[in-house]
Amino acid sequence: IASLGHPAFVVWLQGVADEGLNGLPAALGGGGAAMSRVDFSGRWQFAPDASSLQIAKPDAAAFTIEHREPSFRLERTLTFGERSDTFAIELTVGTDRGPVPRGEATLYPSVRWDGDVLVFFTRIVHGGEEATNLVRYRLEKDGTVLVAEESFRSSAQSYDNRWVFTKEDLEV
């Protein structure tokens, strides 16, 4: 991949918090007791009609979040036609994670609170170039809708996305 703007790199990044998955400035950390925090746990399915993306919409996208404050584990799968990409990461809310290799890139992710919003920031280094991906997660409609507002920036490409996911009913 010659640059951060290469389509394969962009596909790989979709979600890197989101994946976005993402290393956040300490100034965004929120205070307060962990017991009063929103729990983002669940399996979330992409709602394409409710989402507003400046990138190509995937055919499918699913997030699984295991959130037991301060532990936060995210796994996401994006599907474009016959191609799918899965990424998983485990973070501790309020701390910086060391470097995470991902193909030819290195991620420097963190997750912090900003009120009831969970902010996932990643600095991405690839071939001497750098990009950032900031994703702000919040719950709506009594916790049944997950909204992820993503802002990706690099010298080659910048975009803003509003991903919307609905919670799967896990009870049988």
Side-chain angles (χ1 to χ4, degrees), residues 43-83:
R43 179 147 173 85
W44 304 90
Q45 290 297 320
F46 182 48
D49 292 340
S51 298
S52 175
L53 308 183
Q54 292 181 342
I55 59 172
K57 284 188 181 179
D59 296 320
F63 278 65
T64 300
I65 297 174
E66 296 170 17
H67 183 198
R68 303 289 181 269
E69 191 68 26
S71 177
F72 182 83
R73 182 180 189 287
L74 177 139
E75 180 176 324
R76 70 102 184 105
T77 300
L78 300 175
T79 304
F80 294 87
E82 298 289 318
R83 225 173 15 155

Side-chain angles (χ1 to χ4, degrees), residues 22-29 70 89-100 107-113 119-123:
N22 315 35
L24 174 71
L28 290 179
I89 192 163
E90 191 163 334
L91 300 166
T92 300
V93 176
T95 63
D96 292 333
R97 165 104 186 240
V100 177
L107 311 179
Y108 297 88
S110 66
V111 63
R112 300 221 187 311
W113 286 106
V119 184
F120 191 27
F121 180 83
T122 301
R123 184 170 63 94

Side-chain angles (χ1 to χ4, degrees), residues 31-42:
M35 296 304 287
S36 64
R37 295 294 187 192
V38 175
D39 182 356
F40 288 86
S41 295

